[in-house]
Structure formats: structure tokens, C-alpha cells
Amino acid sequence: MRQLRLGIYSAAHCAVDFSCALLMLGSVCLRGDAALCILLYNFCAFALQMPMGLLADRLGRCRLWASGGCLLVLGAFFLPPTAAAVCGGVGNAAFHIGGGLDTLNSHEKSGALGIFVSPGALGLFLGGLSASSLPPVVGVAVCGLSAAAVLLFCRGPENAAPSLHAAAQNGVPAALLCLFLVVVLRSALGLAFQFPWKASFALPFTLAVVLGKTCGGLLADRIGPRRTAILTLLASAVLFVFSGVPALGLAAVFLFNTTMPLTLHAASRLLPGAKGFSFGLLTFALFLGFLPDFFGLALPLPDTALYAAGALLSLPLLLAGLKKTSC
């Protein structure tokens, strides 16, 4: 039953992100102030997961958060642009908190987290690709089906008594800060990736992101998070130097994305009584990483050197965050 629930959440994750991309690129940004709507959407979708996570830790009912999030995204298709951006972002956040917290409660290892988070990138890609050709009713139908599936089949374990007591323990805030910075770096670099071949290899690039997140969690369960971090980030740093070659660039992107489930799993172990908050804390880091690209801030190094430096800088930060979890 756990595997069925994980499969439904993963498919729904793809569907929700598909619908959000369809909503934003196929409707909202065409009718309203595109820059404002994108900023509002990203703030609601990522930054709001932190307070939502705290609330979900206290209230539980993960499947209601997830299914309610699907319905909010569905409803956003019927609203004017600015309200639609806010409603869609809030719905996206609620789905992620519900599905993410249920996955953390149901599975002890990183592999399940990788499987849950990875389909989102594919959904965003397909939604963006379809934005000019599919009517909004497709997003409505997809979200409705996702909400129904979550409600019918996703009855996971309820939360233990929520507590932030672990956050006061010696070393935990510093470890959380290291994981937080890893996610900020990964988010900023992921949005900054500019390869001469990227437009021609859009689908392989997306699959490299998806499979990297999936395989990262599975590999960590097999050889350990620390070994996974060392092997993948060092290899990605080397490959980024040669990323003008499509195959090497795709391999670098694949390896760089393996750390996502590692950071989520480690944060949840640091805050075992507030897993929803730990999940939301790292999605807030994603929002901060989005801001430099949104405001068009120039990055200080040539592309390949910047990507390699980002991978190398991520490694000691991630190892420091993992150390406190005894991983």
C-alpha cells in the first residue's frame, strides 16, 4: 500500500506541476502582468511551504493538504490573472507539503523522496511545452483527477506529536543552515544553466534533472548519503568544465541534481518532530535561489567555471549538514 501511495503522489506531483505551468504560461502571463504574476506564484508556491509545513505538522491530514492543493490549482483557472497566480501557487504549496510530509512519514530512506520530487520537473516541462496548444480545461481535468486519486487511495500514517525541540540542540541550526545553502545554490545554478545545446536537447535536459533526483535517493540508500554526495558532486564539477559537449553536460546536470533527496531527508532527520517544517524550509531556499535569475543579476564567473564552482562549494556544505544526522 505504501508503494501505491507513493506512486499516486508522484503521478499527482507531475500533474500538478504540469497544470501550474499550463496555468501560468498558457493563461496568466498572457492576460496579466507577467513579471508580477511569476513573482507572486513562486513566492506562494515555495516560500509559503515553510509556514504551511508547521501547520501540517500540527494538524496532520496529509492527503487533505495534497488533495486540497490540487483543487486550489483547479480553481485558479477560473480567476483573473493576479488572483490565479496566488491561488495556483498556494495550491502547489499545499500539495507539496501534503505529499512530501506523507512520504517522509511513510518511508525511512531517501529513495522514496527522490521518486516523489522528481516528476515535478517533467510536469513543468510538459506544461510549458503544451501552453500554446492545450486549452485550460485540460489543467482543470488533470487536477480534478489528481485530487480524486489522492483522496481515494492516500491514507498514510498520521504525524507524531509535532515539536521543534530538536532545533535547539547543539549543532542542529548550523547543520540546517548548511543544507539550506546547498538548496539555494542548487536552485540558483539550475536556473542559470545556459548551454549552447540546451534548446536542442530540452527533453534530455529535463530527463537528466528528473532521473538525477530519482537516482540520488536510491543511490544514497545503497552506498550512503556521504559517499553519494562526494562521488556525484565531484564528478559533476569535473564534467561541468566540459559541458559544452552535450553528453558531458547532461551527465553533469544529472549528477548535480542527485543531492535533492539527500538534503530533504537530512533536514527531516534533524527535525524529526517537524518534518513538514523541514520540507518547507528547504523549499523556501528554492525561492531565494530563484530571485537572482528573476531580477537579472549577473553572475561573477564564466558559465562552466560557475557551475563547477557551485558543485564544489555544495560539497562541504552538504557534508557538514549530513554529519549531524550521522548519515
Side-chain angles (χ1 to χ4, degrees):
M1 187 63 185
R2 286 194 313 164
Q3 301 309 317
L4 173 63
R5 190 161 68 247
L6 177 60
I8 290 171
Y9 276 130
S10 301
H13 187 184
C14 183
V16 166
D17 280 11
F18 166 87
S19 298
C20 286
L22 186 64
L23 169 73
M24 294 300 296
L25 299 178
S27 176
V28 169
C29 291
L30 299 180
R31 297 184 294 128
D33 183 332
L36 174 62
C37 288
I38 289 172
L39 180 62
L40 287 172
Y41 170 81
N42 278 280
F43 175 80
C44 294
F46 298 108
L48 288 188
Q49 286 191 50
M50 188 165 57
M52 278 189 184
L54 270 176
L55 194 56
D57 284 328
R58 180 165 295 277
L59 299 178
R61 311 293 177 132
C62 295
R63 68 190 183 116
L64 296 183
W65 283 92
S67 59
C70 295
L71 294 176
L72 282 171
V73 175
L74 183 160
F77 282 92
F78 301 97
L79 297 174
T82 303
V86 171
C87 186
V90 171
N92 186 291
F95 171 80
H96 280 77
I97 284 297
L101 182 54
D102 201 345
T103 301
L104 287 167
N105 285 336
S106 304
H107 300 268
E108 294 295 325
K109 297 185 178 181
S110 301
L113 276 171
I115 292 169
F116 169 68
V117 299
S118 59
L122 181 61
L124 289 173
F125 172 76
L126 295 175
L129 197 66
S130 307
S132 61
S133 57
L134 290 181
V137 69
V138 174
V140 172
V142 165
C143 286
L145 290 172
S146 298
V150 169
L151 275 176
L152 287 172
F153 298 106
C154 293
R155 294 180 178 270
E158 287 301 321
N159 290 3
S163 170
L164 281 170
H165 176 71
Q169 295 180 11
N170 186 38
V172 168
L176 284 170
L177 177 61
C178 289
L179 296 173
F180 187 88
L181 293 175
V182 170
V183 178
V184 172
L185 269 172
R186 186 173 60 234
S187 174
L189 287 176
L191 291 169
F193 283 155
Q194 296 295 330
F195 303 107
W197 44 263
K198 186 177 177 182
S200 301
F201 289 82
L203 179 57
F205 180 89
T206 302
L207 292 176
V209 174
V210 172
L211 295 175
K213 294 174 182 179
T214 302
C215 294
L218 297 172
L219 184 62
D221 291 342
R222 188 170 184 82
I223 68 171
R226 291 177 63 82
R227 288 182 182 176
T228 299
I230 293 168
L231 290 173
T232 59
L233 288 175
L234 287 179
S236 68
V238 173
L239 290 170
F240 274 133
V241 175
F242 306 100
S243 57
V245 179
L248 299 181
L250 289 169
V253 170
F254 168 86
L255 291 167
F256 186 66
N257 278 278
T258 57
T259 61
M260 174 171 272
L262 276 64
T263 52
L264 289 170
H265 184 251
S268 72
R269 292 191 64 176
L270 289 169
L271 295 175
K275 294 179 180 178
F277 175 74
S278 73
F279 193 97
L281 179 69
L282 296 190
T283 59
F284 181 71
L286 288 175
F287 174 72
L288 293 184
F290 148 81
L291 293 177
D293 180 74
F294 179 79
F295 289 110
L297 299 179
L299 297 171
L301 294 172
D303 288 347
T304 55
L306 177 71
Y307 308 153
L312 290 175
L313 181 56
S314 295
L315 180 56
L317 290 170
L318 181 52
L319 292 177
L322 292 172
K323 184 177 181 180
K324 186 64 181 177
T325 67
S326 300
C327 289

